[in-house]
Amino acid sequence: MEDIRYDVIFSCRRSISIIVRPDKSVTVRAPLRTPMTTIDKFVQSKTSWIRKHLNSEPGIRLAHINRKYTDGEVFLYMGKEYKLVRISSEEYFIRLREDEIHAGLKDTDDTDKVRHLISGWFYFKAREIITNEFLRITDKYSTYGFRPSGLVIRPLRSRWGSCSSGRKITLNSELIKLDPAIIDYVIIHELCHLKYHNHGPGFYKLLEEIVPDYKSLRKELRKFHIR
């Protein structure tokens, strides 16, 4: 296709999808043995959508990559910004103080140790807080009959969450960095997939019934990039 370059990844899937990444690269995922002419025709039909995302302002990247882990560096937690303060200590700890995140460790100049301490704390808080919120929401909306078979919270490379055919819900641990209202929206989004395993009219009707302002929350979520 002229002007728009894209990479193709073939896999065991049923449909073609397009991903525009934060670095402005375009990736097309397609079922095995899909003819390139079919893929090219699909990409051309999505030209407007692709150009819109290619020309959009870069979003906020959440992953702890390309960081120096020095004092003053900003980290997001539950939608708020915290400036890193490294504190020399025999005890390892992470503490929040107003607009600061204090990292206590013996060697404050060891970037790998600071990174490991902070990343580990974020993951621990994600499993604790998101799990509790998930249980609260499923209980609050018990009349809808949401009955997931399980919950997994872990880092995901390209999704905020997913719902498997076996009714297991997986949520991205990076959600812990976002506003609680957005976390709730993603949780409810995935719970709705227990009723509708697609994004059809029925799904959005149910989602809007539970989260009337889901469109504004979805728009806010799209400002952030996982990687």
Side-chain angles (χ1 to χ4, degrees):
M1 174 179 177
E2 190 175 69
D3 295 334
I4 296 180
R5 296 182 179 180
Y6 58 90
D7 298 317
V8 180
I9 297 177
F10 293 99
S11 61
C12 295
R13 56 185 294 127
R14 296 181 178 180
S15 59
I16 303 174
S17 67
I18 300 175
I19 300 173
V20 179
R21 302 189 183 281
D23 62 2
K24 303 303 181 183
S25 63
V26 179
T27 300
V28 178
R29 295 183 179 275
L32 297 172
R33 294 184 292 277
T34 303
M36 285 303 299
T37 52
T38 300
I39 295 173
D40 191 61
K41 184 177 180 180
F42 181 81
V43 172
Q44 289 186 47
S45 71
K46 302 295 183 180
T47 298
S48 297
W49 182 88
I50 295 172
R51 291 191 185 283
K52 176 184 176 181
H53 284 75
L54 287 175
N55 296 327
S56 63
E57 292 295 322
I60 301 169
R61 295 190 182 187
L62 295 178
H64 293 168
I65 56 176
N66 299 324
R67 285 187 174 274
K68 297 181 180 179
Y69 292 93
T70 54
D71 289 344
E73 197 166 23
V74 175
F75 290 82
L76 276 176
Y77 174 69
M78 298 289 284
K80 297 180 181 179
E81 292 185 346
Y82 293 88
K83 294 180 181 179
L84 175 62
V85 177
R86 296 169 300 169
I87 299 174
S88 180
S89 170
E90 293 294 327
E91 174 192 2
Y92 284 82
F93 66 81
I94 293 290
R95 296 174 186 149
L96 300 182
R97 293 291 185 269
E98 296 182 353
D99 63 345
E100 296 178 341
I101 178 169
H102 293 183
L105 68 165
K106 191 171 184 179
D107 188 355
T108 57
D109 291 326
D110 191 322
T111 301
D112 287 337
K113 288 183 178 179
V114 178
R115 175 185 56 78
H116 182 74
L117 176 63
I118 293 176
S119 298
W121 181 83
F122 268 94
Y123 184 57
F124 172 80
K125 298 302 289 186
R127 295 188 66 180
E128 175 189 35
I129 293 175
I130 296 175
T131 297
N132 288 338
E133 196 62 11
F134 181 84
L135 294 174
R136 183 190 69 81
I137 288 174
T138 52
D139 181 64
K140 179 179 180 180
Y141 298 104
S142 60
T143 55
Y144 285 88
F146 296 134
R147 294 185 178 85
S149 63
L151 171 66
V152 176
I153 297 172
R154 65 180 179 85
L156 299 175
R157 295 185 64 85
S158 60
R159 292 184 177 185
W160 295 111
S162 65
C163 179
S164 73
S165 57
R167 305 177 67 81
K168 181 176 73 175
I169 289 178
T170 301
L171 297 172
N172 197 325
S173 56
E174 291 290 280
L175 284 168
I176 196 62
K177 299 172 184 177
L178 305 183
D179 187 276
I182 297 178
I183 297 175
D184 288 358
Y185 158 67
V186 174
I187 291 174
I188 295 171
H189 181 110
E190 298 307 329
L191 286 173
C192 288
H193 277 311
L194 293 172
K195 299 292 184 179
Y196 300 94
H197 210 70
N198 54 51
H199 289 112
F203 169 84
Y204 284 111
K205 182 179 179 180
L206 177 59
L207 180 61
E208 188 170 24
E209 182 178 324
I210 302 175
V211 190
D213 61 340
Y214 84 88
K215 290 183 180 179
S216 62
L217 291 169
R218 181 178 62 185
K219 183 178 180 180
E220 186 67 20
L221 179 62
R222 286 174 175 171
K223 294 179 181 179
F224 298 92
H225 296 303
I226 300 169
R227 295 285 174 179

